[in-house]
Amino acid sequence: MSRARRRRELVIERLTELRSLPMGRGPERAFRERLREDLVSGRLLLEAPDEQESAPRHARPAGRRRRRPLLSQLATLGLAGAMMISAFATYRAVPGDTLYPLKRAAESTLVHLSTDDAERGERELASAETRAKEVASLLGSSTDSPLVSETLKDMEDSTRSGISRLTRTQPRSSKIKKFAQKQRDVVEPMLEQLNEAQKGQAAGYLDYIEGLVAPG
């Protein structure tokens, strides 16, 4: 595996791990320590060109040879650090928050960076789980907000897309049943807090995922 690909996969791994944390909580200490180690060690840095291999045959001052790679690495380190700090502030955003579009863009990037349909389907189901948590968070503030209906729809769209990909590539995957059971446990308690239109959306969703749990 190339270094560039390994770095990309490590970034995806850290972002995925961050997104899986419960809403309303900051990253765990163990996660922060792993991230700090990755940044300090350079595992999240882009590969700097080897100037000794690419440089012309004539000699260059030693100071210049050392300074330019160092500045490049420092700049990349700063950028990586800034991105991760932004991620800390973004992953807890809910619909209506200023940073929410950035959160959705990051999720979309993770999905499109998937290497195959099975992995992409799993990430779409992870997005559906996140939407369910967001609905629960929104219900704590306003049940009549149109954001609730929009988020319920996004949850169903991600679920159907993810299930379609997984059943096409892994039709007997136990992940589908586990996902459906987990979602049912999150969505069912919301019903009493939803208005009639939203309750219809949620009931239709529950009927759909119930079919995924039934023995087949």
Side-chain angles (χ1 to χ4, degrees), residues 92-109:
R92 289 182 294 178
V94 296
D97 289 349
T98 304
L99 291 175
Y100 187 70
L102 183 58
K103 175 182 179 178
R104 294 298 298 272
E107 284 186 10
S108 179
T109 299

Side-chain angles (χ1 to χ4, degrees), residues 62-134:
R64 276 186 74 185
R65 286 202 304 270
R66 288 193 299 267
R67 189 181 306 118
R68 293 183 63 185
L70 176 60
L71 291 175
S72 176
Q73 289 187 12
L74 287 175
T76 308
L77 177 61
L79 178 59
M83 290 173 62
M84 291 302 172
I85 291 171
S86 296
F88 291 158
T90 300
Y91 88 101
R92 289 182 294 178
V94 296
D97 289 349
T98 304
L99 291 175
Y100 187 70
L102 183 58
K103 175 182 179 178
R104 294 298 298 272
E107 284 186 10
S108 179
T109 299
L110 284 175
V111 170
H112 286 90
L113 283 175
S114 304
T115 57
D116 55 48
D117 259 7
E119 183 181 14
R120 187 166 183 169
E122 290 176 20
R123 286 180 176 163
E124 287 180 321
L125 294 185
S127 293
E129 291 178 358
T130 300
R131 301 290 83 78
K133 295 174 185 176
E134 290 169 355

Side-chain angles (χ1 to χ4, degrees), residues 65-206:
R65 286 202 304 270
R66 288 193 299 267
R67 189 181 306 118
R68 293 183 63 185
L70 176 60
L71 291 175
S72 176
Q73 289 187 12
L74 287 175
T76 308
L77 177 61
L79 178 59
M83 290 173 62
M84 291 302 172
I85 291 171
S86 296
F88 291 158
T90 300
Y91 88 101
R92 289 182 294 178
V94 296
D97 289 349
T98 304
L99 291 175
Y100 187 70
L102 183 58
K103 175 182 179 178
R104 294 298 298 272
E107 284 186 10
S108 179
T109 299
L110 284 175
V111 170
H112 286 90
L113 283 175
S114 304
T115 57
D116 55 48
D117 259 7
E119 183 181 14
R120 187 166 183 169
E122 290 176 20
R123 286 180 176 163
E124 287 180 321
L125 294 185
S127 293
E129 291 178 358
T130 300
R131 301 290 83 78
K133 295 174 185 176
E134 290 169 355
V135 171
S137 179
L138 288 170
L139 289 177
S141 56
S142 172
T143 57
D144 294 327
S145 170
L147 294 173
V148 173
S149 298
E150 292 172 10
T151 308
L152 285 170
K153 183 180 185 306
D154 289 344
M155 176 183 70
E156 181 166 355
D157 289 346
S158 293
T159 297
R160 289 184 179 276
S161 179
I163 293 299
S164 176
R165 292 181 189 280
L166 274 183
T167 53
R168 188 164 59 245
T169 56
Q170 299 178 5
R172 299 184 182 276
S173 174
S174 62
K175 296 174 183 177
I176 295 175
K177 184 175 182 179
K178 290 178 180 177
F179 164 81
Q181 292 171 330
K182 187 176 179 180
Q183 283 293 88
R184 182 180 59 193
D185 292 342
V186 175
V187 176
E188 275 188 344
M190 300 177 187
L191 291 176
E192 294 182 358
Q193 303 178 64
L194 299 171
N195 63 32
E196 288 305 312
Q198 295 161 356
K199 191 175 295 185
Q201 281 183 278
Y205 180 78
L206 288 170

